[in-house]
Each structure stands twice: as C-alpha cells, then as structure tokens.
Amino acid sequence: MNSESAQTPPGTGRIETFSDGVMAILITIMVLELKLPADLFHGGDLAQVLAAFWPKLIVYALSFLMIAIILVNHHMILRAAPHSTNGLYWWNTNLLFWLSLVPLATAVLGNAPVEPAAVAFYGTILTVTAVSFTLLHRCAVAIGSKTGKPNDVHRLIILKDSIFTGFYAISVPLAFVSVYASMTIFLIVPAAYFFPDYVPWPHPWRTARSARAFWR
C-alpha cells in the first residue's frame, strides 16, 4: 500500500452497504409480523379474518413505502459526501436506530389502527426518523462543500424535508383529535416524494452522462 492510498479517506460504500442490509432486515421483520390465523383455510370466517388483516397490511405497505423512499434517497444524499467521516458514520447510525423502531411502530398501529395512542406513537417514530434523515443529509453536504454549508439546491431539498417532517410532527398531537387526519398526513408525505428532485452531481462523481443531474 503506497502512502497516497493510505492517506485517501475511505468512501461511503461501507455505510451504504451496511444501511442497505439493515433496511432489508427491517422489511423482513415487518412482513413476518403479517400472520394469518391458522384456521383461515379450515373453516375460518373469511370476512372476520380480512377485517382484522387489512389494517395490518395497509400499515405494512405504508411503512414499506417509507423505508423504500429513505433507501433511494439515502444513496443519493451520500453521493454529496466525497468520503466518509466519523460524524457521517454516527449520523447514519442515528438514522438506523430510529428506523429499527419502525417495525415496532408498524405492529402497534396494525394491531390498534384507530387508537389515538397507537397513531401518535407511529407518528412519533416517523417524525424522529425524518429528523435524523435531514441531519444526515446536512452532514453529507457539509463534507462535500468547500464552505461547509449546503448550496442552493441542497438547501431547498433540506427545506422541503423539514416542512414534511413538520407534517409528521403535527400528526402526533392531531391523533388525539382525529386519527384519520393523522393517517392522511401519513399518506401525504410519501406521496410528495413520488416526484423526484434533480440534484447536481458533486464534482468527484461527474461524468459525461451524469454532469446534468441525478435522481434524488
């Protein structure tokens, strides 16, 4: 190993790979919680089974979508960091910690979909997860920025993330007024991220094809 390679800071590949594995495990845990009654195909009441199962399936789909959105955006924001740092590792670990509670929140809400406390708990986990993601984004951008501050494009994206994080935060107290209003917020926020933002490639990643933009 030459001195130049020894002084080169490590890339973000290990962070991305580890995070991908954690998110895959979380999705697996959630789907394992979708258990049908053992007597479903042996004379069970199909209508009652579906009435109990559909709420769990809907909450699972919502949580799956949220994790999928974070997975896609996670790869994109880490491209803003030309290399990893201890701070980036810790902010990423913070995000993964809160993400690891999503299966628990999903199970709680799936078992009690109209209980205000269950809806508020689910909203709380989504809120802190969104906050953690925004903080990770700011860290990644600071590493790749000469000034240590986000450029105009990333500033707008962070503002967008902050606004919709605020929506999640509102859903927590709102659950004790109307659980359906909170659930509407749970649907609105992922819907806002179906429309991708164009973010300029950071300089180290630029190629002839990617010089224009990449999907966020």
Side-chain angles (χ1 to χ4, degrees), residues 99-171:
L99 270 177
S100 70
L101 296 179
V102 170
L104 173 62
T106 301
V108 169
L109 184 58
N111 290 325
V114 294
E115 290 295 327
V119 176
F121 178 65
Y122 188 79
T124 299
I125 298 302
L126 296 188
T127 300
V128 292
T129 299
V131 170
S132 300
F133 183 84
T134 301
L135 293 174
L136 176 64
H137 188 176
R138 292 185 65 90
C139 178
V141 171
I143 294 171
S145 172
K146 294 181 179 180
T147 64
K149 297 180 180 180
N151 60 24
D152 291 341
V153 175
H154 282 286
R155 192 176 297 112
L156 287 174
I157 294 171
I158 291 173
L159 175 61
K160 172 186 174 181
D161 293 344
S162 299
I163 290 173
F164 285 105
T165 298
F167 277 39
Y168 275 148
I170 292 172
S171 73

Side-chain angles (χ1 to χ4, degrees), residues 35-37 39-40 44-55:
K35 298 177 182 179
L36 289 170
D39 63 343
L40 173 61
D45 189 330
L46 182 60
Q48 291 184 356
V49 169
L50 290 179
F53 182 71
W54 274 109

